[in-house]
């Protein structure tokens, strides 16, 4: 694992602990799984979702207004990240780019999306960092393929949304 | 929306008025109840909850640690029981529909470990006469953390350190994951699924559960807490911790569910915020000291939760917040209420039935609680020719408006702060007269000396609002103050 990636994980976990909002045992699990070689993708995603849910005070993650309830803002946000990464394939194999990806997502995507959905501004960088940790753990290419196969393709709302967003580009 | 709740007590709470009547919701909550009551750690949590509420609030963080480290065990097992129930009772397409609905839920994404889908599809879901995950959850929670000599009972973080440093011994969720992984592995390899095989493959320590082990661990906890907080051991054991009989603790089973038995463990919505039972054996004595009794006349909803042909009396002790229900035959209820020295509360929807079918002396006062919009409340009291109102600010967000007349009836309603302007307007327009108390009768902004009669109102409010029993000053609950209007 790249040292920049390890540093990114460490910084994110430290910030997470400082919020005092997240189940400490889940933080410990999340930390362990980031450093474990044989990690289950589903378990990484479950822990990431759990942590973000705690950060949002355990309100069921807000469903998109005026859309099918099967798409949560969490899915919608990841869709935007997917779109960005899929359009910038140079990041697919560049393992040192993880902090760059996080910064670009925060600047280019996150604020708009999260403000629109009423998520606390102060939590945005941390939520983005958590999702980026998952991407870094799996590799950008693997995450994109996994997200497309397991989430977008199984959810007609997200599939439709992806088509719309791709059309706008 | 929270449909149900289990709070480490003797009851399971389900919101029976908000669509949570589906039986799988009952099962979800009864699963928490079951695995908590049958395991060593669960009984320690029940004891910690009882002691922290009644004797030493500093213990709550210890309960928090055990709860947080067992949350996946609790929630995934409860969802598994829901899913198995659907499989057992519905045809395949309905069960698949439920499974699909379940898998898109927030709970599923947070709490269901890899392998959950395989487990609910596996045909052999009974093991040791228990549902598979009930058994695994019980094993996960069967550890005795009180045996650890390094715990400092005045430092909750010592609990956390010990749990994190010894996950295979004391971290329920860690143990549960290991067991679930082992079970899924055995299923995938078509190996025999037995508890011994699962435990061996998971590699965790297992305490064989029995009543004596549970009892010893709770006694050990009490000894440690008494030493750390100067509490009285006999008092804790006799009055705070109600150790259930052996049969109740360990022989409860979800296999062959007795629906009526389960339903009787649920309480209607009127109780859905703060049910707290007093220590066993004190109820007959305590009944002379409770401050209010709420009379719920029998209705169909009670039949739905297993209470047939009876009214329900909800007894409330204002200072301890003990708050519990007693289903009672009408004649006995009338006899009890007639002798009851405290305040009587009813819901306004029962007003007519109560005044015609429930004879009590003319001198007795009855508080009628109205649930609805303020304007409807005003229209109702106007229809009764009542012009006098006074208000109480319960907290920053909630006001209570009382409407009184010379008779024995007091009507009241809880409203949000947003209606305050409407109240002032109705006074300025002389629609109602606001009754201030004479100056000098206000003590601590809360209690009044004379029988004009703030203590009684305080008792009534305390029994209706969900005040925090830890938020007390000199033993009395703080639930705001009566409003004095210039």
């Amino acid at each position: 694992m790249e040292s920049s990636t390890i540093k990114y994980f460490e910084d994110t976990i430290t910030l997470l602990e400082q919020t005092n909002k997240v189940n400490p045992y889940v933080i410990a699990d999340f930390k362990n799984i980031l450093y474990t070689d044989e990690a289950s993708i589903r378990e990484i995603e479950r822990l990431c979702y759990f942590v973000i849910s705690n950060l949002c005070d355990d309100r069921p993650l807000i469903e998109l207004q005026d859309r099918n309830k099967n798409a949560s803002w969490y899915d919608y946000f990841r869709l935007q990240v997917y779109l960005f990464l899929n359009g910038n394939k140079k990041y697919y194999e560049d393992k040192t780019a993880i902090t760059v990806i996080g910064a670009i997502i925060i600047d280019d995507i996150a604020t708009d999306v999260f403000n629109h959905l009423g998520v606390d501004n102060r939590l945005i960088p941390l939520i983005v960092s958590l999702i980026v940790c998952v991407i870094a753990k799996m590799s950008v290419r693997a995450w994109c393929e996994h997200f497309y196969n397991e989430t977008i393709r199984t959810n007609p709302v997200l599939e439709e949304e992806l088509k719309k967003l791709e059309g706008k580009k | 929306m929270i449909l149900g709740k289990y709070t480490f007590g003797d009851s399971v709470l389900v919101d029976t008025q908000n669509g949570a009547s589906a039986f799988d919701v009952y099962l979800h909550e009864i699963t928490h109840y079951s695995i908590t009551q049958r395991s060593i750690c669960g009984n320690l949590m029940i004891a910690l909850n009882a002691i922290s509420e009644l004797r030493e609030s500093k213990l709550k963080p210890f309960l928090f640690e055990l709860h947080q480290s067992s949350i996946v065990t609790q929630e995934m097992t409860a969802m598994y029981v829901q899913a198995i129930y659907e499989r057992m009772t519905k045809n395949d397409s309905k069960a698949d529909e439920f499974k699909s609905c379940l898998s898109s839920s927030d709970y599923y994404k947070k709490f269901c470990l890899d392998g959950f889908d395989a487990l609910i599809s596996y045909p052999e879901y009974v093991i040791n006469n228990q549902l598979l995950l009930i058994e695994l959850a019980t094993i996960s929670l069967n550890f005795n953390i009180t045996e650890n000599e390094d715990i400092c009972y005045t430092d909750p973080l010592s609990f956390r350190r010990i749990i994190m440093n010894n996950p295979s011994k004391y971290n329920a969720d860690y143990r549960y994951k290991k067991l679930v992984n082992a079970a899924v592995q055995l299923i995938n390899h078509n190996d025999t699924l037995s508890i011994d095989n699962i435990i061996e493959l998971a590699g965790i320590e297992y305490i064989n559960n029995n009543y004596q082990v549970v009892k010893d661990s709770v006694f050990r906890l009490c000894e440690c807490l008494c030493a750390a907080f100067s509490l009285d051991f006999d008092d804790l054991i006799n009055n705070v911790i109600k150790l259930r009989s052996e049969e109740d603790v360990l022989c409860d089973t979800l296999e062959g569910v007795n629906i009526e038995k389960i339903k009787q463990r649920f309480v209607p919505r009127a109780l859905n915020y703060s049910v707290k039972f007093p220590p066993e054996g004190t109820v007959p004595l305590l009944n002379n000291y409770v401050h209010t009794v709420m009379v719920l006349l029998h209705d169909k909803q009670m039949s739905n939760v297993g209470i047939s042909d009876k009214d329900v009396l909800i007894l409330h002790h204002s200072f301890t917040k003990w708050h519990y229900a007693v289903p009672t035959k009408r004649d006995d209820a009338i006899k009890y209420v007639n002798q009851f020295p405290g305040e009587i509360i009813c819901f306004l929807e029962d007003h007519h039935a109560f005044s015609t079918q429930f004879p009590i002396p003319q001198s007795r006062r009855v508080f009628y609680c109205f649930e609805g919009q303020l304007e409807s409340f005003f229209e109702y009291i106007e229809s009764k020719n009542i012009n006098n109102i006074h208000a109480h600010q319960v907290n920053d967000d909630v006001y209570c408006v009382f409407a009184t007349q010379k008779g024995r009836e007091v009507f009241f309603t809880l409203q949000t702060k947003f209606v305050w302007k409407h109240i002032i307007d109705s006074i300025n327009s002389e629609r109602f007269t606001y009754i201030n108390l004479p100056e000098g009768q206000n003590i601590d902004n809360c209690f009044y000396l004379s029988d004009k009669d703030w203590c009684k109102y305080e008792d009534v409010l305390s029994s209706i609002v969900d005040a925090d029993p830890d938020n007390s000053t000199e033993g009395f609950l703080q639930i705001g103050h009566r409003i004095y209007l210039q």
Side-chain angles (χ1 to χ4, degrees):
Chain A
M1 203 178 287
E2 298 292 322
S3 60
S4 59
T5 306
I6 293 172
K7 174 82 168 51
Y8 195 81
F9 289 169
E10 282 171 357
D11 291 348
T12 304
I13 296 295
T14 304
L15 283 173
L16 198 56
E17 286 168 338
Q18 285 169 352
T19 64
N20 275 333
K21 293 180 89 168
V22 179
N23 183 321
Y25 301 95
V26 177
I27 294 181
D29 279 356
F30 189 62
K31 188 176 174 182
N32 285 341
I33 207 164
L34 287 178
Y35 295 111
T36 306
D37 288 337
E38 288 178 21
S40 136
I41 292 173
R42 179 170 165 169
E43 183 64 359
I44 297 171
E45 293 205 312
R46 184 187 72 80
L47 291 168
C48 181
Y49 187 82
F50 197 130
V51 166
I52 292 174
S53 178
N54 274 184
L55 283 173
C56 298
D57 300 321
D58 283 318
R59 287 175 293 136
L61 293 178
I62 310 159
E63 280 136 6
L64 286 173
Q65 297 293 321
D66 303 324
R67 293 172 201 268
N68 185 310
K69 287 189 173 180
N70 286 325
S72 68
W73 67 255
Y74 179 67
D75 289 336
Y76 183 70
F77 180 73
R78 290 192 304 161
L79 182 72
Q80 301 267 357
V81 175
Y82 168 81
L83 196 68
F84 166 76
L85 293 173
N86 211 32
N88 292 276
K89 291 210 166 76
K90 62 182 177 187
Y91 294 125
Y92 266 34
E93 308 303 337
D94 184 355
K95 291 182 178 173
T96 61
I98 195 68
T99 51
V100 180
I101 292 173
I104 294 172
I105 289 172
I106 291 169
D107 280 352
D108 280 9
I109 307 171
T111 309
D112 272 358
V113 174
F114 281 73
N115 282 348
H116 175 64
L117 297 168
V119 175
D120 186 343
N121 275 340
R122 290 165 297 183
L123 293 175
I124 293 172
L126 183 51
I127 292 175
V128 171
S129 298
L130 287 162
I131 294 171
V132 171
C133 282
V134 174
I135 296 170
K137 176 68 187 167
M138 293 167 66
S139 91
V140 175
R141 179 190 296 276
W143 183 84
C144 284
E145 285 172 4
H146 176 76
F147 182 67
Y148 182 78
N149 290 329
E150 298 294 322
T151 308
I152 298 176
R153 274 196 359 182
T154 59
N155 188 331
V157 180
L158 289 177
E159 237 179 342
E160 188 60 31
E161 195 66 37
L162 178 63
K163 278 181 197 159
K164 270 194 219 163
L165 291 169
E166 281 176 335
K168 279 185 193 169
K169 284 184 72 181
Chain B
M1 181 192 291
I2 294 172
L3 300 176
K5 199 173 180 185
Y6 173 63
T7 53
F8 306 108
D10 284 344
S11 291
V12 183
L13 311 178
V14 164
D15 188 343
T16 53
Q17 286 193 348
N18 277 333
S21 55
F23 192 66
D24 66 280
V25 177
Y26 286 66
L27 281 177
H28 182 106
E29 300 306 329
I30 206 74
T31 303
H32 294 320
Y33 173 95
S34 178
I35 59 181
T36 304
Q37 302 238 354
R38 73 172 68 235
S39 63
I40 298 169
C41 179
N43 276 275
L44 292 176
M45 290 160 92
I46 291 168
L48 278 169
N49 183 50
I51 299 168
S52 66
E53 287 191 343
L54 298 172
R55 293 291 183 273
E56 183 49 70
S57 61
K58 287 178 189 156
L59 291 173
K60 282 205 166 163
F62 290 95
L63 176 62
F64 172 86
E65 296 299 331
L66 290 177
H67 177 240
Q68 294 282 289
S69 57
S70 60
I71 195 160
V72 172
T73 307
Q74 288 277 3
E75 298 302 339
M76 177 164 148
T77 307
M79 292 178 76
Y80 171 83
V81 173
Q82 282 180 279
I84 294 295
Y85 169 74
E86 293 295 323
R87 248 190 65 192
M88 288 163 68
T89 57
K90 305 248 165 72
N91 61 40
D92 284 348
S93 66
K94 283 278 180 196
D96 286 347
E97 197 180 300
F98 177 83
K99 193 175 151 189
S100 155
C101 183
L102 194 71
S103 63
S104 64
S105 73
D106 193 52
Y107 256 49
Y108 177 89
K109 289 177 192 160
K110 269 158 74 175
F111 299 119
C112 288
L113 302 170
D114 212 357
F116 179 83
D117 295 343
L119 289 170
I120 60 175
S121 305
Y122 189 64
E124 306 296 323
Y125 47 77
V126 176
I127 198 163
N128 275 11
N129 294 321
Q130 292 292 338
L131 291 185
L132 174 63
L133 285 198
I134 293 263
E135 191 67 7
L136 298 190
T138 307
I139 295 169
S140 306
L141 284 160
N142 253 350
F143 58 84
N144 182 8
I145 196 167
T146 64
E147 74 191 5
N148 192 297
E149 301 288 342
D150 296 331
I151 297 174
C152 170
Y153 283 91
T154 50
D155 175 17
L157 287 180
S158 72
F159 241 46
R160 185 178 298 180
R161 280 193 295 274
I162 286 162
I163 294 170
M164 284 193 171
N165 292 339
N166 304 278
S168 63
K169 271 182 105 171
Y170 303 130
N171 184 332
D173 282 351
Y174 179 91
R175 292 158 59 85
Y176 186 71
K177 275 182 210 170
K178 289 266 184 193
L179 290 163
V180 166
N181 283 342
V184 172
Q185 217 172 311
L186 289 170
I187 289 171
N188 289 341
H189 291 124
N190 290 324
D191 287 337
T192 311
L193 202 60
S194 70
I195 287 300
D196 288 343
N197 286 352
I198 294 171
I199 290 173
E200 191 186 338
L201 191 57
I204 62 160
E205 287 183 35
Y206 172 51
I207 299 177
N208 210 347
N209 200 9
N210 62 55
Y211 181 66
Q212 196 56 43
V213 175
V214 171
K215 195 175 169 187
D216 288 349
S217 62
V218 173
F219 272 49
R220 162 89 178 141
L221 175 73
C222 289
E223 281 170 357
C224 296
L225 296 178
C226 288
F229 294 98
S230 303
L231 301 172
D232 183 280
F233 182 79
D234 290 338
D235 172 63
L236 283 194
I237 295 298
N238 296 330
N239 296 319
V240 180
I241 298 167
K242 190 176 69 175
L243 274 177
R244 290 157 301 281
S245 69
E246 186 166 1
E247 294 75 32
D248 281 348
V249 179
L250 300 175
C251 298
D252 233 345
T253 172
L254 285 177
E255 182 59 18
V257 172
N258 179 334
I259 293 175
E260 289 312 310
K261 186 179 168 193
I262 286 177
K263 281 184 173 174
Q264 281 166 20
R265 291 202 172 122
F266 290 82
V267 286
R269 188 169 178 247
L271 290 169
N272 220 353
Y273 41 83
S274 61
V275 180
K276 289 197 177 77
F277 288 91
E280 194 173 32
T282 62
V283 170
L285 176 69
L286 193 73
N287 283 351
N288 294 323
Y289 296 101
V290 293
H291 296 92
T292 64
V293 58
M294 179 180 274
V295 183
L296 303 178
L297 298 182
H298 181 78
D299 67 13
K300 282 180 188 169
Q301 188 196 330
M302 292 180 193
S303 302
N304 291 341
V305 292
I307 301 169
S308 50
D309 301 317
K310 285 182 177 173
D311 298 331
V312 174
L313 302 179
I314 302 172
L315 305 173
H316 177 81
H317 190 276
S318 296
F319 306 143
T320 59
K321 292 291 282 182
W322 284 324
H323 188 87
Y324 55 99
V326 184
T328 313
K329 285 184 179 169
R330 175 65 52 85
D331 287 349
D332 292 336
I334 292 170
K335 201 184 294 177
Y336 178 85
V337 170
N338 272 279
Q339 292 170 354
F340 179 70
E343 295 302 318
I344 303 163
I345 307 171
C346 248
F347 281 109
L348 191 59
E349 63 203 51
D350 280 342
H351 180 268
H352 178 70
F354 187 77
S355 52
T356 55
Q357 299 169 19
F358 208 101
I360 55 171
Q362 282 297 314
S363 59
R364 291 306 306 276
R365 174 173 44 201
V366 182
F367 286 81
Y368 288 100
C369 179
F370 174 80
E371 290 186 307
Q373 293 185 343
L374 182 68
E375 183 53 31
S376 305
F377 178 69
F378 279 170
E379 285 170 8
Y380 180 81
I381 59 175
E382 279 177 320
S383 74
K384 308 279 288 182
N385 293 322
I386 298 174
N387 298 312
N388 296 334
I389 63 170
H390 59 89
H392 184 103
Q393 184 170 3
V394 178
N395 56 37
D396 289 345
D397 296 312
V398 178
Y399 287 79
C400 184
V401 182
F402 290 94
T404 59
Q405 60 182 10
K406 284 186 178 175
R408 65 190 181 99
E409 295 179 333
V410 180
F411 300 92
F412 71 99
T413 181
L414 288 166
Q415 300 286 332
T416 65
K417 62 184 175 185
F418 304 109
V419 302
W420 183 242
K421 186 177 179 305
H422 191 57
I423 294 171
I424 296 296
D425 288 348
S426 71
I427 295 163
N428 289 340
S429 65
E430 299 185 346
R431 185 181 180 189
F432 297 105
T433 303
Y434 192 85
I435 308 298
N436 280 317
L437 278 175
E439 282 184 27
Q441 290 195 26
N442 182 333
I443 299 172
D444 292 333
N445 233 4
C446 216
F447 291 92
Y448 291 80
L449 285 175
S450 77
D451 187 39
K452 296 295 180 194
D453 202 349
W454 195 239
C455 287
K456 304 298 181 188
Y457 288 112
E458 193 83 37
D459 289 339
V460 171
L461 268 177
S462 162
S463 66
I464 293 295
V465 302
D466 190 11
D468 179 1
D470 292 333
N471 177 14
S472 59
T473 304
E474 294 176 2
F476 295 104
L477 284 168
Q478 285 284 6
I479 48 172
H481 59 275
R482 182 164 175 166
I483 294 168
Y484 186 89
L485 283 188
Q486 300 290 343

